[in-house]
Amino acid sequence: MHLLHQRGPLHDLPDTPQAYDAVLADITEQALARLTSEGNLEHPDCVDDIGDTSLGITALLALAWQRSKDPRLPETVRRSLAFHLRERVYREDNPGYPNLKARGTGLPYARYVLEAGAHPIGDWPSTVWALLQAVNVLDTADGLVADEQRAELIEVAHGYWRWLTEATFFNPQEAGNQAIGCVVGGLMLARHLPPAEGKAVRSRAIELYADEIRAHRVRDRGALLPPEHGGAYDNNYGPISLSFLAQAHRVSGEEMFAEDGDALARYIDARLTNGGFDNGGPRYSEQHSAFESVLGLRYFGRRIGSDLGRYRGDSRWGRHAVNADGGIDGHFAFMLVWQIQDSTRWHRTPSASTARHQLRAGTVSVAFDDRMTPAVVEAAGTYYLPAAVNRQHGFGPVLDGFLLCRPMGEVRVRDVRADGLTAKLVTKPVVGRDHVLRHVRSLYVTDGTSLWLTVAVERLDGTPYLLAGLPYATDDGDRVRRTAQAQVTSAGALRLTHPRSEGVDHFDARTETTQQQAAFALAADPRGYGNPDEGWRHLVSSTALEADPAPDAPQELHVFAVRYGPKGLFTPAFEHGEAGLTVRTEAYTAVIGEAAGDASGEPELTLHG
């Protein structure tokens, strides 16, 4: 089976002006065929996320007219705009909406579901989206709508802003993408208001960003990130936040948006595999965005000099939101408007900079988590997740069911490039059940095709093995397919084991259950509201690669050596002396210095082919 949402890299979609004109032409034909006598452009099957959708298509048609001057569009834009202003602007409080600070204000807002009292929790983001669709119409409809209609739209848009920032609590879902989107709406709205009002709205937008978003960023893997649904980063919403930061910088020129976007972009670059696969988040584990992410990934990929467009999006939403029948849905249409207006082109080569939380060369990559344990290993087109044993997750030595990968002290990293090889040495002090402090040294080396992992630790009593990952997915053309197979070779005996127990807390890669499905099954709240990352942490056991120690390791050490990638000759040899542990393979020789390292305690590593 294929993973549902992770499809082709986003930079594979043509983004020339001609390609975008073709997209707008298709939208135009769909809209003209759909337009009702009332002026409604909503998809007939749309139920939720609906309050902004007709206006979103109106904004796309206004942009299409600006670029093509299609004579059929002015009347359609005016009629559909009139429909939104007449039928989709609500001023009476929605029964059951829990986040109002002031009742009966009469300020306009958009509904997530049109029926009164039906799922009102989504009204805040729906109003953000309606504000953004409205300011896009204002930006592109000069000469297209009458002054009276334009004035009414400005009044409603200003009312949306006031409802979001005065009548309700700001960012009630603690969703960074929604909050930054609101700020962008204020920045864009300010340009259409009288100078004094516009200055006040712009100042308030920047103040909200600084005080309510920037000041509450969450640290993960060395980066400060806008919090998303109670976590640091979500692989669906994180790139969307990046797009909002790009638009905020384009509109305002304020450097803090660029600085924060650069930081988020570098973080995404470090966690994203070479093949564009990513997994994990506080709202979704595998549900990827598509056109909503293009602006940010393209804009900041160019700024930081890296190929962020390798991110695998959901190509079903490659250009715009669609409903089940493939017909256009106006949800989030403002993002397509912005990416068409932005002239930035994709940066298509990897960054040459070394990143602490990433090892990447050729078709091999390792993304490390905050503890410098692999979060995803990629080699030969296969992706490995951390395996689970006795509720412990990661890669590392296991003794009597205890996984030695959680650091008890500072984790040190040394990066080396030599003779076409790229290497990362990670040293961790760890404590086992016997309370003995040991140093686990993990050496990752790649030639761009294979990945060699050598793990050394002071000799353990008993019969330890290396937990070497959970084979989870593999590239299959422009899709990602589930797998339970691995291309891995080991110096010691190698086993692919599967859980002996059944149940949602035992993940068997041979089944068709996805990581996201299992994670939500273990989460405290329903799908879309629970934290799948938190749920996945409750996993007791999983399919796992288990590698025995190398049989010819030095007597005082346990050494594990595996190679991910094409199978072939693998005959590592080890020697332990005053200089440290020497590792010789068919591709390289490396010397891992003693745990004490150099004079500053940093680990030492020498490498040559």
Side-chain angles (χ1 to χ4, degrees):
M1 60 170 288
H2 288 111
L3 297 183
L4 187 61
H5 299 283
Q6 301 210 29
R7 299 184 177 220
L10 289 179
H11 63 203
D12 285 355
L13 286 170
D15 64 343
T16 62
Q18 294 77 16
Y20 282 133
D21 284 337
V23 172
L24 290 173
D26 175 61
I27 291 170
T28 295
E29 297 306 322
Q30 288 194 53
L32 291 173
R34 177 184 298 174
L35 184 70
T36 68
S37 58
E38 295 84 8
N40 187 357
L41 289 172
E42 293 163 358
H43 192 288
D45 295 334
C46 187
V47 175
D48 55 20
D49 259 328
I50 192 173
D52 67 301
T53 61
S54 182
L55 187 59
I57 296 179
T58 301
L60 287 168
L61 296 179
L63 179 62
W65 178 82
Q66 188 184 70
R67 293 167 69 94
S68 70
K69 295 299 187 286
D70 186 327
R72 300 174 296 173
L73 291 178
E75 179 63 20
T76 302
V77 168
R78 289 190 284 267
R79 285 177 58 194
S80 59
L81 179 55
F83 167 80
H84 178 83
L85 293 172
R86 183 180 67 249
E87 302 291 343
R88 293 298 179 258
V89 177
Y90 294 85
R91 295 180 183 270
E92 295 182 357
D93 296 346
N94 199 351
Y97 186 71
N99 295 312
L100 290 175
K101 294 195 298 183
R103 296 194 178 278
T105 62
L107 290 170
Y109 67 94
R111 284 185 177 175
Y112 178 75
V113 176
L114 299 181
E115 181 185 353
H119 203 64
I121 190 68
D123 289 356
W124 201 88
S126 290
T127 304
V128 173
W129 313 151
L131 170 60
L132 292 170
Q133 315 283 25
V135 292
N136 274 345
V137 172
L138 292 171
D139 279 354
T140 56
D142 280 341
L144 192 57
V145 299
D147 290 346
E148 295 81 4
Q149 197 177 39
R150 181 182 182 86
E152 184 179 359
L153 181 59
I154 291 173
E155 184 273 331
V156 167
H158 195 187
Y160 285 154
W161 170 257
R162 291 189 59 201
W163 186 86
L164 291 163
T165 60
E166 298 174 19
T168 70
F169 291 99
F170 183 76
N171 190 21
Q173 294 185 21
E174 296 183 352
N177 76 97
Q178 298 173 12
I180 305 171
C182 182
V183 168
V184 172
L187 294 171
M188 296 182 70
L189 171 67
R191 303 181 300 184
H192 297 282
L193 298 175
E197 289 183 350
K199 182 178 180 180
V201 168
R202 177 188 167 95
S203 296
R204 178 62 174 148
I206 291 175
E207 177 186 49
L208 283 169
Y209 181 77
D211 295 347
E212 300 296 333
I213 303 171
R214 200 177 204 216
H216 297 280
R217 287 176 297 170
V218 179
R219 184 175 296 278
D220 185 46
R221 307 185 195 189
L224 286 172
L225 310 171
E228 187 57 61
H229 286 285
Y233 175 83
D234 184 281
N235 65 13
N236 180 48
Y237 293 114
I240 294 177
S241 285
L242 193 65
S243 288
F244 283 128
L245 287 169
Q247 183 67 2
H249 186 241
R250 293 179 68 235
V251 171
S252 72
E254 291 287 336
E255 190 60 25
M256 66 177 175
F257 296 119
E259 292 173 356
D260 294 355
D262 287 349
L264 177 54
R266 290 191 181 97
Y267 171 88
I268 293 174
D269 191 29
R271 70 174 287 142
L272 193 61
T273 59
N274 179 76
F277 173 85
D278 188 18
N279 128 289
R283 183 71 181 271
Y284 295 108
S285 291
E286 294 178 344
Q287 182 163 324
H288 274 42
S289 48
F291 79 97
E292 314 100 309
S293 303
V294 166
L295 175 64
L297 294 169
R298 196 173 65 191
Y299 188 85
F300 285 105
R302 174 65 58 178
R303 279 184 57 92
I304 70 170
S306 191
D307 56 339
L308 295 185
R310 69 187 190 277
Y311 178 94
R312 286 185 178 269
D314 192 333
S315 55
R316 294 169 301 179
W317 281 34
R319 299 301 193 180
H320 47 69
V322 298
N323 218 286
D325 64 356
I328 185 172
D329 185 314
H331 181 53
F332 251 68
F334 48 84
M335 282 294 190
L336 178 58
V337 173
W338 298 342
Q339 67 167 278
I340 293 176
Q341 293 172 333
D342 179 51
S343 60
T344 305
R345 300 276 66 84
W346 287 111
H347 183 95
R348 295 182 177 272
T349 56
S351 171
S353 301
T354 298
R356 176 180 173 90
H357 293 91
Q358 180 196 62
L359 175 72
R360 182 183 176 203
T363 59
V364 171
S365 61
V366 184
F368 295 87
D369 65 16
D370 224 17
R371 303 180 303 183
M372 289 305 297
T373 296
V376 185
V377 169
E378 172 195 20
T382 298
Y383 303 98
Y384 303 84
L385 303 181
V389 57
N390 291 344
R391 301 185 186 274
Q392 305 158 94
H393 300 196
F395 288 72
V398 177
L399 179 64
D400 296 331
F402 189 83
L403 175 60
L404 296 167
C405 78
R406 292 171 298 281
M408 182 64 69
E410 190 67 20
V411 179
R412 298 177 187 259
V413 177
R414 175 65 60 92
D415 289 279
V416 174
R417 291 177 179 172
D419 300 334
L421 301 165
T422 305
K424 189 183 294 285
L425 174 63
V426 178
T427 62
K428 296 181 185 181
V430 300
V431 174
R433 283 203 174 103
D434 57 5
H435 293 221
V436 174
L437 184 69
R438 297 179 175 89
H439 284 84
V440 175
R441 291 170 286 172
S442 302
L443 173 64
Y444 304 84
V445 181
T446 180
D447 61 359
T449 302
S450 297
L451 172 70
W452 290 265
L453 170 59
T454 303
V455 179
V457 64
E458 294 91 335
R459 182 161 286 272
L460 303 165
D461 295 331
T463 55
Y465 64 88
L466 181 73
L467 196 65
L470 155 65
Y472 178 68
T474 188
D475 291 336
D476 184 15
D478 61 353
R479 297 292 301 275
V480 179
R481 177 172 47 83
R482 277 294 314 283
T483 191
Q485 299 177 346
Q487 296 186 60
V488 179
T489 309
S490 172
L494 182 68
R495 299 173 296 277
L496 181 62
T497 66
H498 303 285
R500 296 178 180 178
S501 301
E502 296 182 357
V504 294
D505 51 357
H506 300 277
F507 187 83
D508 191 327
R510 296 171 297 182
T511 70
E512 292 191 350
T513 303
T514 66
Q515 188 273 345
Q516 178 170 287
Q517 289 171 329
F520 273 122
L522 293 166
D525 297 303
R527 183 183 184 278
Y529 300 93
N531 183 335
D533 273 4
E534 184 64 36
W536 186 253
R537 292 187 191 106
H538 295 299
L539 196 69
V540 175
S541 66
S542 73
T543 293
L545 285 162
E546 299 177 358
D548 286 345
D552 59 346
Q555 186 174 2
E556 63 275 17
L557 296 174
H558 267 124
V559 179
F560 308 87
V562 297
R563 186 182 66 189
Y564 302 83
K567 293 190 176 182
L569 182 66
F570 182 49
T571 55
F574 313 97
E575 181 181 337
H576 195 210
E578 291 184 5
L581 175 64
T582 300
V583 181
R584 292 186 176 88
T585 74
E586 67 283 3
Y588 67 88
T589 298
V591 180
I592 304 172
E594 290 304 304
D598 60 20
S600 61
E602 291 300 317
E604 294 179 326
L605 174 64
T606 59
L607 175 72
H608 58 84

